[in-house]
Amino acid sequence: MTATVPEARADQPADRKDTAERLLRSSAELSFDPTTQVDWETPLDRTKHGMSPEWCSLFGTAYWDELTEEQRTELTRHEAASVASTGIWFEMILQQMMLRDFYAKDPTDPSFQWALTEIADECRHSIMFARGSAKLGAPAYVPKRSTIELGRLFKTTASGEAAYASILVAEEVLDVMQRDWMRDERVVPFVRTVSNIHVVEESRHMKFAREETREHLQRAGRVRRQFNALYVAAAAYFIVSSMWNEQVYENVGLDRARAVREAGANEHHKALLRSSCAGLMEFLSSCGLLTRPALHFYRRANLI
């Protein structure tokens, strides 16, 4: 009788070389050039939203009900720019972590080549987000100075599963939002195109981040796993809390103090974040990265 090889379980890490080769083929077959494939020339339609209104931090509040449609669309455009600015900030962290991880490694390894491909994607995405923010008529919404400095520390020290799980957190949250935006006809057309490009290309990045997280965790002991679970959760809190910059309220002519207060108590927005991150939390739990101390930060970020 000939023995048969059992199929790999879904929770086992795929062979890194095979995964990287598939991602490289996918990238060659389906990638975009935002400089030519996004309509940057058509004037901004100010009757359209910058994001699906349901993702606005004030949607569902009494303040939202008082706003005119013009105020609502302007607010969503500025908040979309705020999310994009946070995306640029973290993509720059991501690129540095990946460059450090693959520094002086075998360039003939498909994983090495995929890492450079992903970095090239992220460079294009950052430029795309920057141009998109400018087209939306919004200023640069950079994170708080304290968050920037913590990001500087994180990009210098995070490695292995801490780096890749954090990359996954940032990409998963943005991916869920943009899947809604790209299908929503209420959203300005160029933002829908930008969202579609990002969703398609980030799906490959998330696949790689998951595989790298699992691969690195195979060599992690209990203490290292506990520490990095907390490190990733703290990074998730600062990433998500930076996406909706409080300055947007003042810039669109709203009462900043009231808007911050109502947004902070907005159960609709909190529930939306929690439901959108269910798959992410399931993955982190399966990897042993959803520890009790880590849950504190995920709850504060309304991700669980």
Side-chain angles (χ1 to χ4, degrees), residues 145-293:
R145 172 53 57 183
S146 58
T147 301
I148 290 174
E149 296 308 320
L150 286 170
R152 197 185 305 279
L153 174 65
F154 182 78
K155 71 181 177 59
T156 305
T157 59
S159 61
E161 65 273 13
Y164 286 101
S166 299
I167 289 170
L168 183 62
V169 168
E171 291 178 340
E172 287 262 11
V173 173
L174 191 53
D175 177 77
V176 172
M177 284 192 284
Q178 290 187 314
R179 285 180 185 274
D180 285 346
W181 303 358
M182 71 185 196
R183 302 185 184 102
D184 194 338
E185 294 184 358
R186 298 169 297 175
V187 173
V188 65
F190 90 88
V191 170
R192 296 178 64 193
T193 304
V194 165
S195 299
N196 183 68
I197 290 172
H198 199 247
V199 164
V200 170
E201 296 188 341
E202 288 294 331
S203 66
R204 295 188 285 262
H205 301 181
M206 291 188 289
K207 172 67 173 176
F208 188 69
R210 285 192 185 92
E211 299 299 343
E212 288 297 298
T213 299
R214 292 190 182 103
E215 176 72 18
H216 284 284
L217 281 169
Q218 288 184 339
R219 302 184 292 275
R222 182 179 181 278
V223 173
R224 172 176 146 183
R225 193 181 295 261
Q226 291 282 321
F227 175 79
N228 282 332
L230 187 59
Y231 208 18
V232 171
Y237 169 75
F238 286 106
I239 293 166
V240 175
S241 63
S242 297
M243 286 183 171
W244 285 269
N245 192 306
E246 295 176 2
Q247 185 62 39
V248 299
Y249 306 124
E250 193 172 322
N251 287 349
V252 301
L254 303 185
D255 180 331
R256 178 170 177 164
R258 181 187 173 188
V260 169
R261 185 171 61 253
E262 294 204 23
N266 188 352
E267 291 302 325
H268 164 82
H269 198 251
K270 293 176 184 179
L272 194 61
L273 279 172
R274 285 193 296 269
S275 63
S276 66
C277 291
L280 171 62
M281 293 300 121
E282 183 178 347
F283 172 78
L284 294 175
S285 178
S286 73
C287 293
L289 293 176
L290 207 58
T291 61
R292 183 172 296 178

Side-chain angles (χ1 to χ4, degrees), residues 15-64:
D15 181 84
R16 294 175 78 244
K17 180 179 178 181
D18 288 345
T19 297
E21 288 176 341
R22 288 199 304 272
L23 293 174
L24 285 167
R25 287 195 298 271
S26 175
S27 180
E29 294 167 2
L30 185 60
S31 288
F32 301 90
D33 180 359
T35 60
T36 59
Q37 292 178 276
V38 177
D39 180 5
W40 301 114
E41 303 304 321
T42 300
L44 177 67
D45 183 353
R46 295 188 175 276
T47 67
K48 297 282 189 179
H49 289 276
M51 60 168 64
S52 296
E54 291 78 10
W55 278 101
C56 178
S57 62
L58 289 180
F59 184 89
T61 66
Y63 207 170
W64 176 267

Side-chain angles (χ1 to χ4, degrees), residues 11-12 18 230 300:
D11 61 347
Q12 291 179 331
D18 288 345
L230 187 59
R300 284 192 66 188

Side-chain angles (χ1 to χ4, degrees), residues 63-83:
Y63 207 170
W64 176 267
D65 293 338
E66 295 173 18
L67 301 181
T68 65
E69 188 60 24
E70 182 180 358
Q71 288 175 311
R72 291 173 179 175
T73 55
E74 186 177 12
L75 176 59
T76 61
R77 288 194 296 270
H78 277 255
E79 289 199 334
S82 176
V83 169

